[in-house]
Structure formats: structure tokens, C-alpha cells
Amino acid sequence: MILMYYSIQVTSETIVDLRFIPVMLLTLFIGIRPAMVSAGIIIIGRFIFGVIASAYGALVLMTLILLFYFIINRTINKNVNLNKKSFLMIMTTNIIFTIVISVLVRDIAVLKVLVQSYWLIAFLGGFVSVFFVDFQRRSIFYWKDTRKKPQSIT
């Protein structure tokens, strides 16, 4: 809901935000089931704002994103670099977003600026989010690991 609150109003009916990031983070770090729950909450939240064409666009966007995240998560080896996996997920999201937003917004001048800006911000926001969550996860792992080992005082 926070991502939707800080969204960009493109038309009277269409808002754009980075609501794919929580779904991507959950898919990367926890699993597809929590990502499905998150996507469901995001879709329901979008319909709370109104049952309009852009809400259905968000439904299609989230459904396709989830489907492709599931495929990416299943087909790419767990040992693959996290940055490569997140790059593929963000790229897929951007392509799907571009197709969906092109159906919703018919003004080419608006689309030109919107799509370019969205791609840039999505890559930046996506990579920064993955970096911070991974950093936090590793820090906690190392902190717990050092607590288990006895420390010698010399």
C-alpha cells in the first residue's frame, strides 16, 4: 500500500508505481507462495482504489509477473548470481509493464517519457532493494554465525 500511496498519476484512471519490488524480493529470498500472497494483496489494494481499466491492467500485470517470476525461479539454477536473476526479473517486469501501459495510455508523448523513466527507476529501485535485502540477510547470517562460535580472548 505504501508503494501505491507514493505513486505517479499518469491519467485520471492510471497510476504507476513500483509494486513489483515486494513480489520480486519475496520470490528471490523466500519463495513463490509468499510472493503470490503479496501479489494478491497488491491486486486487492488496487481494486480498492476503484474498479476501472487500470485496476484490470494491474491484475494482468501482477499475474504475468508472477507467472514469469515462477518460470525464472524454476529454470535458473540456485547458484546463479543474484544480480543476474534480479536483472532478468526486472527486465521481464519492464517488458510486461510496457505492453500493459501501452494499452491503458494512448498518448504517445506521455508513453515515451513514462516508459523510459519507469525502466530507469525500476532498474535502480529493483537493484537497490535486492542489494539491501541481501546485505541485511547476510549480516544477520554472519552475526548469528559469530555468536555460535566461542571467542578466545588473548
Side-chain angles (χ1 to χ4, degrees):
M1 290 299 238
I2 292 172
L3 288 173
M4 290 171 65
Y5 183 75
Y6 292 105
S7 59
I8 299 169
Q9 190 83 31
V10 178
T11 67
S12 61
E13 293 184 350
T14 306
I15 59 172
V16 173
D17 53 34
L18 298 175
R19 65 185 90 140
F20 76 92
I21 291 177
V23 177
M24 181 182 71
L25 293 174
L26 286 168
T27 303
L28 285 171
F29 294 106
I30 299 175
I32 198 70
R33 286 192 180 127
M36 290 169 57
V37 172
S38 175
I41 292 169
I42 290 168
I43 292 167
I44 290 168
R46 183 60 188 97
F47 277 101
I48 288 172
F49 283 105
V51 181
I52 51 180
S54 64
Y56 288 108
L59 172 67
V60 169
L61 179 73
M62 274 298 143
T63 304
L64 289 174
I65 285 172
L66 260 178
L67 175 67
F68 281 99
Y69 285 2
F70 177 75
I71 291 168
I72 291 167
N73 211 32
R74 289 286 178 161
T75 56
I76 294 182
N77 190 348
K78 298 253 187 232
N79 298 330
V80 170
N81 184 342
L82 187 61
N83 288 331
K84 289 180 184 177
K85 206 172 193 180
S86 56
F87 174 81
L88 192 57
M89 288 181 168
I90 297 168
M91 180 61 83
T92 303
T93 300
N94 287 345
I95 292 168
I96 296 169
F97 170 81
T98 302
I99 294 167
V100 171
I101 202 70
S102 297
V103 171
L104 295 173
V105 178
R106 299 295 179 162
D107 187 353
I108 299 297
V110 171
L111 275 175
K112 217 174 183 179
V113 173
L114 176 64
V115 169
Q116 290 174 358
S117 302
Y118 185 85
W119 276 58
L120 178 69
I121 293 169
F123 271 112
L124 183 66
F127 280 125
V128 167
S129 299
V130 169
F131 171 79
F132 279 118
V133 170
D134 188 46
F135 178 79
Q136 184 82 22
R137 189 178 59 106
R138 283 195 228 181
S139 297
I140 291 170
F141 173 77
Y142 291 134
W143 178 73
K144 285 181 178 180
D145 190 46
T146 57
R147 285 187 48 205
K148 289 179 185 176
K149 295 178 183 175
Q151 306 259 332
S152 64
I153 301 175
T154 54

